Structure formats: structure tokens, C-alpha cells
Amino acid sequence: MKRPIHTLRGDAYFPSWLQLFVNRNAESFAYPLHDHDFVEFVYISEGKGFHHIADGVQPVRKGDFFVIPIGVSHVFRPTAPDPAGSPLVVYNCVASADLLLRLGRSAIDPDIAAYLVALADTGMSVVSGTDADGAVERLFLELHREFMLPGTGSADLLCALLLRLIVTLRRSTSAAASRSRDEAFPSEFSALLAYLDRNAHQELTLAELAAIGRWSERHLRRLFLRHTGQTYYRYLQNLRVRRGCELLRTTDWKVGVVAESVGYKDIDAFNATFKRTTGATPSEYRRRAKAFGPDAPSDKPE
């Protein structure tokens, strides 16, 4: 089943005085897969979890940063549906294409000017990296503080801070200054996580998954522990519960149908696993989600 993608509009977040928005947000499973008409700069401030990007899945932890271009579908998820036990806290700085183009016209360095123009367009890939010396975190903290407590000249100061952030991220991810994340996180394993994400409802044993990836079971166990912090079966269980949360929020299917759709033939096993993982029964979770309004736009972009 293809999951729906929500589109977030910058007009819902930008203040009247600047096409820029900054927030600090604890991620949860209530947020849907989405894309947006603005560019999003993200810094992982606390915890660890997963970043679902289009058809891929990537583990994330404190210190990681991302540049999410216009039109790219993604969502951040904590490691488990209970955010209290497994928090994933991020800083978001989102900017309109128009603002990036204005910054590009004022940039002196031709590489930075061209990069700003490219960011304002569609078709770019997600950029990611790790904050090696704390510079990225400090800039997000300054951006957040200035946005939350604006004063005289805040619009100009925020634009200057955004330009500093973009230059810093550009330097961090350049070929000469960055280490390849592919070496630390094999692309083959990322593809396997994406495959598992699409087929979590099926009865997939570790041996079958290892055969698909052409690894030994022992090596695949090590890959899951190293890159997700979980065993294969715990990762699969959390994936199924996350999908169950999504179906409970977005459909009126009976709990038994939801359980079967995510891979549980025994509804009692699904109920027990769901409550142990989220702290609520499926029916309780649905009532809370309906009261919250799952189709209403979030007031905090991810």
C-alpha cells in the first residue's frame, strides 16, 4: 500500500516579516511522510532514530545534519513509538526559495551564489553530514534564539546567520573536507532497510533477508546492531508498530484488519506488542489520534 504524502506550505509557518521559520521539535510517529515547498535545514540535537527519505532509510543520531530540498518526501522517526523512552529532538530552519535567491544575489563567492540558486530550485538530492566541531549546533542555537526572541534588526541578523549556516554546511560536505558516510553506512544495507520498510507485513526471517543482501546471518545481525542499535526482530517489530500507528490514524479499519495488514496474524499478539511499545492499546491510540486530528497540518515542520 502506497503511503500518502502530505505537502507542507511555507506560508503556514513564515512570519509576516521574513520567509524563514526556526523551531526545536521532538519527533514522533504522529507526523506523516511529507514534502514541502521550502528548503529545510535540520540538525539532530538529541537522541537517535531514523530518517525516511523517499524510498530509503538512514539511521540518525545527535550531531547529524541534513539539507532537505524542495519536493523531497521524508520524515524523521524516533527508534520506538514511545517518544518519552526514545526521544529524537531536532532543530529545523526552513527558508523559502525567494529568500535563498535573494541571498544568492548578495553572495560574493561564486560557488556559494551558485549553491544558493541550486537550493532554490527542485531536483537537488538530500545533503547530509556530521557536525565535527560543534559549529553547526552553535549556529542552529543562535538561529532559534533570535527567531524566538526577535528584536531590532532580527530579519537581517537571521539572514546573516542563515548564510553562515549554509556556508558552514557547504564546507562540511565538500569533497575535500568531509568523510564519506557511505563507508560508515553501506548503501547496500540502506537498500535492504528500504526493502524491509516496503515488505514488513510479510513473514521475512533473518535468513531470508540475509540471502537477499548476500550476507551471512551473523554479519547481518552485526549490521543491524551497528547501524540501528537494535536486533533485526526488534527493528521489524517497531517498524510494524509504526505502520500500525499510521493506519490507525489515517483509516477506519478495524484493529484486526490493521494487525493483519502490518504482519500480525494473531490480533492478541499485535495488541500486546502495540501496548508494550507505545504505552496505549490500538483503540486508545486511535481515539487520541482522532481527537488530535491526524489530517490537520502540524504546527511544526519536521
Side-chain angles (χ1 to χ4, degrees):
M1 182 183 68
K2 188 174 179 61
R3 286 171 287 175
I5 297 175
H6 296 241
T7 296
L8 303 182
R9 306 292 181 187
D11 290 344
Y13 304 103
F14 299 144
S16 59
W17 46 279
L18 188 63
Q19 290 183 317
L20 182 142
F21 176 84
V22 187
N23 77 327
R24 183 177 185 272
N25 186 37
E27 303 294 348
S28 79
F29 287 84
Y31 297 120
L33 186 69
H34 63 274
D35 57 21
H36 32 70
D37 66 354
F38 46 76
V39 177
E40 181 176 7
F41 305 89
V42 182
Y43 176 75
I44 309 299
S45 173
E46 296 179 26
K48 57 185 179 179
F50 299 94
H51 191 195
H52 297 252
I53 314 169
D55 294 325
V57 186
Q58 181 178 4
V60 298
R61 62 179 64 244
K62 175 177 170 55
D64 290 344
F65 62 79
F66 296 85
V67 181
I68 316 296
I70 296 169
V72 173
S73 60
H74 77 115
V75 68
F76 287 94
R77 302 288 195 206
T79 55
D82 178 13
S86 305
L88 177 64
V89 181
V90 308
Y91 280 96
N92 301 292
C93 175
V94 306
S96 72
D98 287 344
L99 178 59
L100 294 171
L101 288 173
R102 290 205 303 272
L103 291 177
R105 287 192 292 269
S106 66
I108 297 173
D109 187 297
D111 177 71
I112 295 301
Y115 184 58
L116 285 160
V117 172
L119 281 176
D121 200 356
T122 57
M124 277 196 65
S125 299
V126 172
V127 175
S128 63
T130 301
D131 184 17
D133 57 4
V136 175
E137 181 177 28
R138 288 191 293 272
L139 283 168
F140 271 95
L141 289 171
E142 286 189 66
L143 279 159
H144 185 251
R145 181 170 59 246
E146 188 63 32
F147 185 84
M148 297 303 295
L149 298 170
T152 302
S154 281
D156 291 314
L157 181 53
L158 284 165
C159 286
L161 288 170
L162 176 60
L163 186 58
R164 281 184 59 192
L165 175 66
I166 291 169
V167 171
T168 301
L169 298 182
R170 183 68 168 164
R171 287 178 174 178
S172 297
T173 55
S174 66
S178 66
R179 293 169 296 181
S180 172
R181 286 180 65 95
D182 292 339
E183 295 178 2
F185 187 70
S187 59
E188 294 87 354
F189 186 63
S190 178
L192 195 71
L193 290 184
Y195 175 86
L196 185 58
D197 188 53
R198 296 191 300 270
N199 296 279
H201 60 286
Q202 299 183 10
E203 294 184 13
L204 283 172
T205 66
L206 184 68
E208 291 170 331
L209 206 62
I212 293 171
R214 297 182 179 179
W215 291 301
S216 68
E217 289 184 55
R218 182 179 180 184
H219 183 61
L220 186 55
R221 286 194 190 95
R222 287 199 297 264
L223 287 174
F224 267 98
L225 287 173
R226 183 187 309 158
H227 296 298
T228 74
Q230 304 174 54
T231 66
Y232 163 65
Y233 290 105
R234 176 58 62 85
Y235 181 88
L236 178 62
Q237 172 186 291
N238 284 333
L239 189 58
R240 286 173 168 173
V241 170
R242 294 202 303 266
R243 189 64 52 78
C245 290
E246 184 175 322
L247 291 174
L248 289 167
R249 290 196 314 272
T250 59
T251 75
D252 292 321
W253 295 355
K254 293 182 178 180
V255 173
V257 176
V258 171
E260 186 175 355
S261 296
V262 301
Y264 284 88
K265 294 182 178 179
D266 184 346
I267 188 173
D268 291 333
F270 174 70
N271 287 337
T273 301
F274 192 95
K275 184 169 185 179
R276 184 171 62 250
T277 306
T278 68
T281 66
S283 297
E284 291 170 343
Y285 179 89
R286 170 171 272 166
R287 283 196 297 272
R288 295 173 188 173
K290 295 294 184 183
F292 176 77
D295 294 325
S298 166
D299 63 342
K300 295 180 179 180
E302 295 177 80

